[in-house]
Amino acid sequence: MAVLKYTLLRLATFFIIFGACLLLEVGMVFALVAGLVGAWAVAYLFFNRLRLEAGAQVARKVGSDTRRRSRSEQSDNDAEDALAEDYHEDR
């Protein structure tokens, strides 16, 4: 839910800045750049807590490794870990 809130706030900020620039008739390219940079700056400065929550939510979703490993894959992983530990103990 935090990702949706953050995205909607950032898009709303972009469109407000973009629309204001278009009303001031500063040009389409400048309005686009000002909207992008302005939305980034406002979100970074004022929506920091929400940005961090959204980032954590995405990290939990993407980083979760819930699949079960086969016995052979688990034994391979254990052997690699043991080999790496032995290597680092020797140094």
Side-chain angles (χ1 to χ4, degrees), residues 56-88:
Q57 185 179 3
V58 169
R60 279 193 306 272
K61 197 68 156 173
V62 172
S64 66
D65 189 16
T66 57
R67 70 178 181 89
R68 292 183 48 95
R69 290 182 170 78
S70 66
R71 276 192 221 143
S72 63
E73 184 179 4
Q74 188 61 45
S75 66
D76 286 347
N77 288 344
D78 293 339
E80 288 174 4
D81 291 344
L83 186 63
E85 288 174 7
D86 290 342
Y87 175 78
H88 289 293

Side-chain angles (χ1 to χ4, degrees), residues 1-7 47-60:
M1 192 65 165
V3 173
L4 182 62
K5 287 180 187 177
Y6 180 71
T7 302
F47 307 141
N48 192 37
R49 187 180 47 150
L50 191 56
R51 180 181 60 84
L52 293 174
E53 288 176 21
Q57 185 179 3
V58 169
R60 279 193 306 272

Side-chain angles (χ1 to χ4, degrees), residues 2-58:
V3 173
L4 182 62
K5 287 180 187 177
Y6 180 71
T7 302
L8 290 175
L9 277 171
R10 194 157 176 183
L11 280 172
T13 306
F14 167 77
F15 283 116
I16 289 170
I17 296 171
F18 181 73
C21 288
L22 286 180
L23 287 175
L24 294 173
E25 298 178 2
V26 294
M28 181 66 83
V29 174
F30 181 79
L32 180 66
V33 171
L36 290 172
V37 172
W40 171 79
V42 168
Y44 189 78
L45 292 173
F46 299 109
F47 307 141
N48 192 37
R49 187 180 47 150
L50 191 56
R51 180 181 60 84
L52 293 174
E53 288 176 21
Q57 185 179 3
V58 169

